[in-house]
């Protein structure tokens, strides 16, 4: 213990010394290699192109989309795209962990690079803890280029950077996309880590991605280029330095160990049993065809140079203005602020039904966010909003059949999907949370899908599942909050946050008084 404390102090003093000597300066971006996404016209003859082009040619102007609520399917499709790619893989994520699924996914990228596929990996530097040595070794491969978005100068401990450069480092890239041969792409809410793919023993997330083919893919590729070429994207080698002499050998051992581990074997077996995977491999997967508009923030947002009209939140407002009947909104981190409450109040006055599903305190993995949200529950309910909070259901290792309906609820223990439907006509899926951080600080990415079929599917699933996976939040006759839980044969009413102790509730109350809402 004393040794660990001394090591921790040494790291802090070393970091402070680096800060003083470097002045927090990032290395220059001059002579950064230039690259662009490969045009779809040049990848039509790849395996993916030959499978996809006849479908897209039959639906001009529309994109084919498949929702991916199931975590095993979401992982399998990414792995299959990486294995099938022949020319390029463009991969962009906020969080990537070196756990079972994170390592397996890196291995699929490495195998693709070994076949000569160009791999471009763009990662937000705030979400790659413990990855520096791995990424430094991977970046040595001639077919792999890695860039870090808005990087930290001090690598260990990173948080020291906030003391001297908080304004810059507080802005992060929250986008998620996985694009193969510019023919197929996956966007949505999932990062790359066990909790997003139904693996491991800790908190598991109910999440939602979209697999897309057609014009939407080219939009995502152009957006990837915009981020890749931005002044916030640094070549990893200039930030991480040269890897240790045995780093490449260690990388091989890491991949071999992950592939042969008990955790991986259980997970791979579950993937092999996936009905979705069988349909995909057999070419029997059914796409929904619809106009799809990609919405995203300008990467300059992290430099504070964004134009308000270019913000994703403004693009969403323009794309989804003037709902007439209903809004069904699913967001794990929901802080509407006064402006959002007023918007919902006006919609309800016009006869628009507004329904919201977010995390309960017991399911929320960021209690500070819940503290900020909790102040708005009574105003929302007084405005007529129908409010639901997802329960923490269990922490048992998931089985595939338990996770098939993860769009608004599953055996996962925390909600992470970000989606909403308007008037049963339009569906949004992406990385955008309805909170100040997504609006003002993080960059985000998503699809606006003009599909009554998919929008109504979300509404139906909300109707069918939310009663059994979430608490209905209401006001009693005295205007006090109550939580209603539908159990098998009865309704249970709680007078305080269900599934939580008095200490946690007290801490959340005190946090709700702190002036930090704009940072959440």
């Amino acid at each position: 213990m004393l040794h660990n404390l001394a090591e921790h102090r040494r790291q802090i003093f070393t970091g402070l010394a680096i800060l003083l000597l470097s002045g927090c300066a990032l290395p220059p971006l001059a002579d950064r290699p230039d690259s662009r996404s490969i045009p779809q016209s040049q990848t039509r003859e790849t395996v993916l192109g030959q499978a996809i082009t006849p479908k897209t040619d039959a639906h001009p102007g529309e994109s084919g989309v498949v929702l991916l609520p199931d975590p095993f399917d979401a992982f399998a499709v990414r792995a299959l795209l990486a294995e099938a790619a022949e020319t390029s893989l463009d991969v962009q994520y906020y969080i990537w962990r070196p756990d079972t699924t994170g390592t397996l996914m890196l291995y699929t990228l490495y195998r693709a690079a070994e076949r000569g596929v160009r791999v471009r990996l763009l990662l937000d530097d705030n979400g790659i803890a413990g990855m520096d040595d791995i990424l430094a070794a991977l970046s040595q491969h001639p077919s792999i280029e890695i860039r870090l978005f808005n990087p930290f100068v001090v690598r260990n401990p990173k948080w020291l950077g906030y003391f001297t450069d908080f304004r810059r480092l507080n802005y992060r890239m929250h986008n998620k996309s996985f694009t193969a041969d510019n023919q197929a792409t996956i966007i949505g809410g999932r990062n790359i880590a066990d909790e997003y793919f139904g693996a491991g023993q800790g908190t598991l997330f109910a999440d939602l991605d979209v697999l897309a083919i057609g014009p939407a893919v080219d939009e995502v590729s152009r957006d990837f280029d915009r981020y890749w070429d931005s002044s916030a994207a640094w070549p990893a080698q200039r930030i991480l330095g040269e890897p240790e002499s045995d780093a490449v050998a260690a990388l091989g051992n890491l991949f071999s160990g992950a592939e042969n581990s008990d955790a991986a074997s259980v997970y791979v077996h579950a993937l092999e049993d996936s009905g979705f995977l069988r349909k995909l491999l057999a070419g029997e997967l059914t796409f929904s065809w619809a106009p799809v508009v990609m919405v995203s923030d300008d990467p300059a947002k992290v430099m504070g140079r964004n134009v308000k009209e270019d913000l994703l939140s403004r693009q969403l407002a323009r794309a989804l203005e003037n709902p007439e009947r209903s809004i069904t909104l699913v967001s794990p981190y929901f802080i509407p602020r006064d402006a959002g409450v007023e918007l919902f109040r006006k919609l309800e006055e016009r006869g628009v039904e507004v329904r919201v599903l977010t995390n309960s305190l017991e399911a929320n993995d960021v209690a500070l966010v819940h503290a900020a949200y909790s102040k708005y529950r009574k105003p929302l309910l007084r405005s007529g909003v129908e409010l639901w909070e997802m329960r923490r259901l269990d922490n048992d290792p998931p089985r595939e059949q338990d996770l098939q309906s993860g769009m608004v609820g599953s055996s996962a223990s925390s909600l992470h999907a970000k989606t909403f439907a308007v008037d049963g006509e339009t569906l949004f899926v992406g990385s955008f949370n309805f909170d100040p951080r997504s609006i003002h600080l993080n960059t985000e990415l998503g699809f606006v899908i003009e599909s009554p079929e998919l929008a109504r599917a979300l509404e139906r699933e909300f109707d069918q599942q939310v009663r059994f996976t979430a608490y209905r939040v209401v006001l009693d006759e005295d205007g006090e909050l109550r939580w209603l839980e539908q159990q098998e044969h009865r309704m249970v009413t709680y007078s305080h946050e269900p599934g939580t102790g008095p200490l946690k509730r007290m801490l959340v109350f005190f946090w709700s008084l702190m002036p930090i809402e704009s940072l959440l």
Side-chain angles (χ1 to χ4, degrees):
M1 182 175 178
L2 290 176
H3 173 75
N4 291 339
L5 181 60
E7 177 64 18
H8 186 59
R9 287 176 176 171
R10 183 191 67 77
Q11 291 176 352
I12 293 176
F13 287 135
T14 301
L16 287 171
I18 293 173
L19 283 173
L20 292 172
L21 292 173
S22 68
C24 305
L26 287 164
L29 276 178
D31 302 321
R32 182 178 59 176
D34 187 34
S35 63
R36 292 286 185 276
S37 58
I38 298 172
Q40 286 184 342
S41 60
Q42 296 181 21
T43 61
R44 290 172 65 95
E45 298 305 317
T46 63
V47 170
L48 286 173
Q50 290 181 35
I52 290 169
T53 298
K55 300 178 187 295
T56 56
D57 285 350
H59 297 85
E62 294 184 324
S63 295
V65 295
V66 177
L67 299 183
L68 301 172
D70 180 84
F72 295 113
D73 294 342
F75 183 91
V77 175
R78 286 169 170 87
L80 283 170
L81 289 180
E83 293 292 345
E86 296 180 30
T87 61
S88 64
L89 287 166
D90 289 337
V91 181
Q92 177 183 22
Y93 281 97
Y94 172 59
I95 291 173
W96 196 304
R97 302 197 199 284
D99 52 20
T100 298
T101 57
T103 303
L104 289 174
M105 192 61 67
L106 280 179
Y107 189 30
T108 65
L109 300 184
Y110 178 81
R111 287 203 302 269
E114 287 284 273
R115 301 194 308 270
V117 176
R118 185 194 69 182
V119 177
R120 296 191 295 176
L121 181 58
L122 178 60
L123 300 172
D124 186 273
D125 196 32
N126 193 53
I128 54 171
M131 294 278 286
D132 280 13
D133 291 342
I134 298 170
L135 296 175
L138 273 175
S139 65
Q140 298 296 299
H141 196 288
S143 294
I144 299 177
E145 187 176 357
I146 302 171
R147 291 188 181 177
L148 303 181
F149 196 86
N150 203 15
F152 292 74
V153 175
V154 178
R155 304 310 298 170
N156 190 14
K158 276 186 180 179
W159 53 262
L160 285 175
Y162 285 113
F163 286 107
T164 57
D165 206 1
F166 178 81
R167 189 178 186 281
R168 175 178 70 86
L169 294 174
N170 190 39
Y171 289 85
R172 306 312 320 172
M173 181 192 75
H174 198 234
N175 310 38
K176 294 105 174 168
S177 68
F178 193 107
T179 306
D181 288 350
N182 202 8
Q183 289 290 334
T185 191
I186 300 170
I187 66 100
R190 287 185 179 90
N191 294 294
I192 306 298
D194 285 354
E195 58 264 36
Y196 300 95
F197 295 115
Q201 301 293 325
T203 297
L204 303 173
F205 289 124
D207 218 324
L208 181 63
D209 292 325
V210 175
L211 167 66
I213 59 177
V217 182
D218 210 32
E219 289 191 57
V220 173
S221 291
R222 287 197 299 269
D223 197 62
F224 182 94
D225 286 344
R226 183 167 65 148
Y227 276 78
W228 186 256
D229 293 335
S230 76
S231 58
W234 262 260
Q237 290 173 315
R238 300 187 188 182
I239 301 297
L240 305 178
E242 293 297 320
E244 299 292 333
S245 57
D246 60 348
V248 175
L251 188 65
N253 292 334
L254 174 70
F255 289 152
S256 177
E259 188 177 34
N260 296 312
S261 69
D262 291 339
S265 64
V266 171
Y267 193 74
V268 170
H269 180 70
L271 290 174
E272 290 172 347
D273 290 339
S274 167
F276 182 95
L277 185 56
R278 286 193 294 273
K279 288 182 181 179
L280 184 64
L281 292 174
E284 299 170 353
L285 192 61
T286 301
F287 287 87
S288 297
W289 294 93
V292 176
V293 176
M294 187 207 71
V295 289
S296 72
D297 284 305
D298 190 315
K301 183 179 182 180
V302 301
M303 303 300 183
R305 297 198 300 265
N306 56 288
V307 178
K308 285 188 176 181
E309 290 304 311
D310 292 334
L311 293 174
L312 179 144
S313 56
R314 296 295 181 93
Q315 297 172 53
L316 281 180
R318 291 194 297 268
L320 302 168
E321 61 186 352
N322 299 323
E324 297 179 356
R325 299 187 303 276
S326 64
I327 294 179
T328 301
L329 188 154
V330 179
S331 181
Y333 313 119
F334 179 60
I335 307 176
R337 311 195 85 174
D338 292 336
V341 173
E342 179 63 12
L343 171 64
F344 292 145
R345 184 188 67 78
K346 290 180 178 179
L347 289 173
E348 289 283 350
E349 284 183 350
R350 284 173 34 206
V352 177
E353 180 187 36
V354 180
R355 303 186 296 174
V356 175
L357 172 66
T358 189
N359 275 312
S360 65
L361 177 55
E362 67 174 351
N364 202 319
D365 64 320
V366 186
L368 277 172
V369 170
H370 189 86
Y373 148 74
S374 65
K375 297 182 293 185
Y376 296 101
R377 281 187 293 214
K378 286 185 177 181
L380 285 167
L381 292 169
R382 294 190 191 109
S383 298
V385 173
E386 184 179 312
L387 187 59
W388 298 81
E389 294 180 358
M390 184 163 170
R391 293 152 45 195
R392 186 179 183 91
L393 297 176
D394 68 57
N395 260 344
D396 294 332
R399 300 180 305 276
E400 183 186 355
Q401 59 267 32
D402 295 327
L403 294 166
Q404 291 297 330
S405 52
M407 193 187 303
V408 298
S410 74
S411 66
S413 54
S414 186
L415 178 71
H416 198 257
K418 309 105 170 33
T419 182
F420 61 85
V422 177
D423 289 342
E425 300 288 334
T426 303
L427 180 72
F428 169 81
V429 179
S431 66
F432 181 82
N433 292 301
F434 286 79
D435 61 15
R437 174 160 287 277
S438 280
I439 294 172
H440 301 295
L441 299 176
N442 289 348
T443 65
E444 307 288 354
L445 170 70
F447 283 159
V448 176
I449 307 168
E450 298 292 340
S451 171
E453 174 191 359
L454 296 180
R456 291 168 190 167
L458 173 63
E459 292 177 341
R460 284 195 303 272
E461 190 160 352
F462 194 102
D463 292 335
Q464 294 168 5
Q465 292 197 43
V466 75
R467 290 173 297 162
F468 304 104
T469 60
Y471 304 106
R472 173 79 184 269
V473 187
V474 299
L475 295 175
D476 67 10
E477 294 178 354
D478 298 321
E480 296 301 319
L481 291 171
R482 295 291 181 262
W483 288 260
L484 309 181
E485 179 186 359
Q486 179 66 58
Q487 296 186 355
E488 188 172 354
H489 298 297
R490 62 175 183 147
M491 183 74 72
V492 178
T493 302
Y494 300 91
S495 59
H496 56 69
E497 307 261 14
T500 62
L503 177 59
K504 186 171 187 178
R505 295 196 297 272
M506 181 179 67
L507 286 174
V508 166
F509 171 74
F510 283 120
W511 288 337
S512 72
L513 304 178
M514 297 171 63
I516 58 173
E517 187 175 297
S518 62
L519 302 177
L520 300 174

